[in-house]
Amino acid sequence: MIKKYFLIIFLGIILLASALRLWQIGSVPPSPDWDEASLGYNAYSILHTGKDEYGKFLPVVIRSLDDYKPAFYMYVTVPSVAVLGLNVAAVRLPSAIFGILSVIAVFYLVRELFKDYKYKDELSLLASFFMAISPWSIQFSRVAFESNVGTSLNIFAALFFLKGLKKPALLPFSAIFAALSIYTYQSEKVFTPLLALVLVLVFRKALGKLNKKYLIGGVVTGFIFMLPMLWFLFFNSSSLSRLTSTSVFSSQTQVLQNSVMDLQNDKNNNDKLGLILDNRRIEYAKEILSGYISHFDLNWLFITGDIERHHAPNMGLLYLFELPLILFGIYALIFSNLDKNTKLAVFAWFLLAPLPASITTGVPHAVRTLNFLPTFQIFSALGLVSLILLLSKSKGTILNFKVGKIVVGLYLLFALFNFTYYLDQYFVQQNYFDSSFWQYGYKQAVSDVSKISNNYKQIVVSNDREFDKSYIFFLFYLKYPPKDYQSVKTNAEFSSIKHFDKYTFRSLDWQTDSKMKDTLFIMPYDENSGSSRIIQTIYNLDGTPAIKIIGS
């Protein structure tokens, strides 16, 4: 039984989590990225036609921007688009809701994992609190990142699995959440089955005591829910296209190029040991191990993060004040007398999280390792509880000393500063410093072009470099009728020319294109256009030019 005042505090944590994920969700970050625009327009298309932008009826996987992403997020966006219309807030709202739900799920998950721990209520509250204010969680809960939904579903899958050990009728719900996670993001196809396997192995004795019908029911339920995805994976040639394009095993990676060069040198020098060590399998193994280890880099976790869209300016993915708590929490979990299964489950989750990202390029990667949550928050909570217990037992030797009180006071002040600094960096500074990384300017460009489009016979938009997915922003902001777009869709694969109505999206050759009459051109500001007349310039929020509109 949870004490009443704990529930009041828990409600306050939920309200805090909601505020941090919902406030100004349509304008912070300042613009949708191309993935958000794609998810929004495809949800809009499903709502009005039952088909995605390429005319596929209720697809399991959407082609989207030629990355063939699982379609679950698109479907959960349909209701918000239906109610709020096709806009940024509607596209981001499902992610925010799942982010809030994950805070709630963490509270109950920790209570189940640490059910025999004397301070499980305090630990659960602290873990959910750290999840509520987590920069990593907030970053991906406020944007339409499918990985955020997958992480939330994994937390619920684990929660209902643990509850199912006492109430077996809940096991099918665990299977359903796990199966749905497979439909959210590519990393879940690796992480979720591994997490399920770990939970089964760790708690096999408890499972063995259950009535077999519940176990069979859970397995069958999960299999039924996974059938459409399994069918797609085995019988669709495009199912592995995303993995192929991001995998370290791709023939275009630097790994293979270096291996080929080293092997050739070894052959020329008759270096037999080199022929063994420079083997591409060894090189791939080293690359994967390096990629895995990179996700434990403290500089990445606490200071720099990776690309700008994955963290607030001048911030990492975790608070600096959490570092000592996490380290002490890990120590406490290892050396405490907590249940062995609890220790194995938490550490297995923690060590499994980087596996999907380790076989890809561009590591460390915050999106592909979002399943680190909620392990860092559990470590922080356990570290804080353990430190408080240690200090309370040392009243006569530590707390009576002024230096001890000063250290604790300074730490609390630093934690408060760290949190408020993050809020400023995310909600204020991010829009100014990082708007260019969020593909800012398309909304303004579409609005400006719409006002003068009747004066031109055709409108040509660059699709080079950062504009290579420009078509989806025009579909999104114009709310172009999906049925009309489906009638002119292209079947060409990557970097294909898109067109609809007056709009054509292609590479520009200004020596030729400048001779076109009655044509409006939209392109990145730094793209070569000679001395042509610029009708309008769109600026990033820091004042740097982003997009130019040219008339002929």
Side-chain angles (χ1 to χ4, degrees):
M1 182 67 67
I2 306 175
K3 296 177 182 178
K4 184 176 180 180
Y5 67 89
F6 276 107
L7 290 175
I8 294 173
I9 295 172
F10 183 41
L11 178 60
I13 291 171
I14 296 171
L15 293 175
L16 174 63
S18 301
L20 291 173
R21 285 156 179 77
L22 294 173
W23 188 64
Q24 293 189 341
I25 192 173
S27 57
V28 181
S31 173
D33 64 12
W34 44 59
D35 286 315
E36 291 183 281
S38 176
L39 288 166
Y41 186 75
N42 276 278
Y44 183 68
S45 183
I46 289 288
L47 175 66
H48 289 281
T49 69
K51 301 175 182 178
D52 71 358
E53 64 175 283
Y54 287 96
K56 297 292 184 182
F57 180 72
L58 299 180
V60 173
V61 170
I62 54 174
R63 175 177 164 181
S64 185
L65 305 172
D66 289 317
D67 54 4
Y68 294 91
K69 61 184 66 180
F72 185 81
Y73 193 97
M74 176 191 70
Y75 287 114
V76 297
T77 305
V78 171
S80 58
V81 169
V83 174
L84 302 177
L86 182 56
N87 55 57
V88 181
V91 177
R92 292 175 175 174
L93 183 59
S95 185
I97 291 173
F98 274 94
I100 296 166
L101 291 175
S102 70
V103 173
I104 298 172
V106 165
F107 175 81
Y108 290 102
L109 175 66
V110 172
R111 280 180 59 82
E112 292 297 326
L113 276 172
F114 295 83
K115 62 182 183 299
D116 297 323
Y117 186 49
K118 182 179 179 181
Y119 302 100
K120 67 177 181 180
D121 288 336
E122 291 83 355
L123 185 65
S124 301
L125 280 176
L126 285 170
S128 63
F129 171 73
F130 283 124
M131 188 74 169
I133 67 170
S134 165
W136 208 339
S137 176
I138 294 170
Q139 186 75 26
F140 296 110
S141 295
R142 292 182 56 87
V143 181
F145 277 103
E146 307 101 304
S147 60
N148 180 60
V149 177
T151 296
S152 300
L153 291 172
N154 284 328
I155 295 171
F156 275 101
L159 170 61
F160 277 86
F161 175 87
L162 294 174
K163 283 188 169 293
L165 297 178
K166 295 181 292 185
K167 298 180 180 179
L170 295 176
L171 287 176
F173 291 97
S174 175
I176 290 171
F177 285 121
L180 290 178
S181 179
I182 303 296
Y183 292 88
T184 60
Y185 189 61
Q186 306 293 3
S187 293
E188 314 311 324
K189 295 174 184 175
V190 178
F191 177 80
T192 303
L194 290 176
L195 178 63
L197 178 61
V198 162
L199 291 175
V200 169
L201 291 176
V202 170
F203 296 97
R204 61 188 181 278
K205 290 184 179 179
L207 285 172
K209 298 176 182 178
L210 301 180
N211 189 314
K212 295 298 185 288
K213 70 177 183 180
Y214 293 109
L215 299 179
I216 296 172
V219 172
V220 171
T221 301
F223 181 75
I224 291 173
F225 271 78
M226 288 178 60
L227 266 179
M229 178 59 76
L230 292 174
W231 181 270
F232 180 86
L233 290 174
F234 285 110
F235 297 103
N236 195 299
S237 60
S238 62
S239 61
L240 297 178
S241 61
R242 181 61 176 171
L243 176 61
T244 301
S245 65
T246 60
S247 170
V248 297
F249 300 108
S250 170
S251 60
Q252 279 72 45
T253 63
Q254 194 64 41
V255 179
L256 188 56
Q257 295 176 20
N258 292 341
S259 176
V260 171
M261 293 174 59
D262 290 340
L263 282 172
Q264 188 60 50
N265 290 333
D266 294 334
K267 288 179 181 178
N268 295 338
N269 299 326
N270 196 28
D271 185 349
K272 295 182 179 179
L273 180 61
L275 289 172
I276 296 173
L277 296 179
D278 292 328
N279 182 284
R280 65 178 180 176
R281 294 171 183 82
I282 300 294
E283 290 297 321
Y284 282 137
K286 288 161 56 179
E287 189 74 9
I288 291 170
L289 181 60
S290 174
Y292 179 85
I293 294 174
S294 70
H295 293 95
F296 299 96
D297 180 0
L298 297 183
N299 186 56
W300 174 69
L301 287 168
F302 293 93
I303 305 294
T304 63
D306 42 75
I307 68 172
E308 283 76 7
R309 292 201 310 277
H310 294 172
H311 63 96
N314 305 309
M315 286 283 297
L317 302 166
L318 301 167
Y319 295 109
L320 273 172
F321 78 81
E322 287 184 283
L323 178 55
L325 299 181
I326 290 170
L327 295 177
F328 198 76
I330 292 173
Y331 175 86
L333 191 60
I334 293 174
F335 295 103
S336 68
N337 58 357
L338 288 166
D339 181 70
K340 181 181 70 173
N341 289 342
T342 298
K343 295 181 180 182
L344 288 173
V346 174
F347 279 122
W349 192 321
F350 180 65
L351 296 174
L352 285 176
L355 277 178
S358 66
I359 61 174
T360 65
T361 56
V363 293
H365 200 284
V367 183
R368 297 169 192 159
T369 54
L370 191 58
N371 282 306
F372 264 129
L373 308 182
T375 57
F376 280 115
Q377 289 69 38
I378 292 174
F379 291 143
S380 294
L382 186 60
L384 183 55
V385 170
S386 300
L387 279 172
I388 292 173
L389 291 175
L390 178 64
L391 292 172
S392 66
K393 293 177 181 178
S394 308
K395 287 183 179 179
T397 58
I398 296 179
L399 291 184
N400 287 341
F401 286 99
K402 290 183 179 180
V403 67
K405 293 181 179 179
I406 291 173
V407 168
V408 171
L410 288 175
Y411 175 80
L412 292 176
L413 284 175
F414 176 72
L416 180 61
F417 168 78
N418 203 182
F419 177 59
T420 53
Y421 177 78
Y422 164 73
L423 294 180
D424 177 67
Q425 292 299 112
Y426 185 88
F427 288 101
V428 180
Q429 307 303 329
Q430 177 181 222
N431 278 15
Y432 179 81
F433 286 107
D434 290 350
S435 63
S436 62
F437 298 104
W438 287 96
Q439 291 90 54
Y440 185 80
Y442 280 107
K443 181 178 181 180
Q444 294 80 357
V446 172
S447 176
D448 290 344
V449 168
S450 297
K451 295 173 184 176
I452 58 175
S453 61
N454 290 335
N455 300 331
Y456 297 88
K457 291 182 178 179
Q458 55 185 326
I459 301 169
V460 180
V461 184
S462 172
N463 70 353
D464 285 333
R465 296 175 297 146
E466 67 268 25
F467 261 51
D468 61 345
K469 304 173 182 67
S470 55
Y471 85 97
I472 197 65
F473 289 100
F474 281 80
L475 290 174
F476 181 85
Y477 285 118
L478 289 170
K479 298 179 176 62
Y480 192 74
K483 188 175 182 179
D484 293 346
Y485 182 66
Q486 290 165 16
S487 67
V488 297
K489 66 184 183 299
T490 174
N491 287 321
E493 286 297 326
F494 299 94
S495 301
S496 57
I497 296 174
K498 302 285 195 303
H499 63 88
F500 61 88
D501 197 35
K502 290 183 178 182
Y503 295 86
T504 299
F505 303 83
R506 60 173 175 81
S507 297
L508 299 179
D509 180 356
W510 199 244
Q511 283 189 331
T512 302
D513 291 330
S514 61
K515 300 174 183 178
M516 297 175 64
K517 301 299 183 182
D518 298 321
T519 303
L520 198 63
F521 296 93
I522 300 99
M523 64 185 77
Y525 188 83
D526 60 355
E527 186 166 336
N528 179 40
S529 60
S531 57
S532 301
R533 183 170 66 92
I534 298 177
I535 296 176
Q536 182 68 33
T537 300
I538 311 299
Y539 293 90
N540 291 313
L541 292 176
D542 64 355
T544 57
I547 298 172
K548 57 186 175 183
I549 301 172
I550 297 174
S552 66

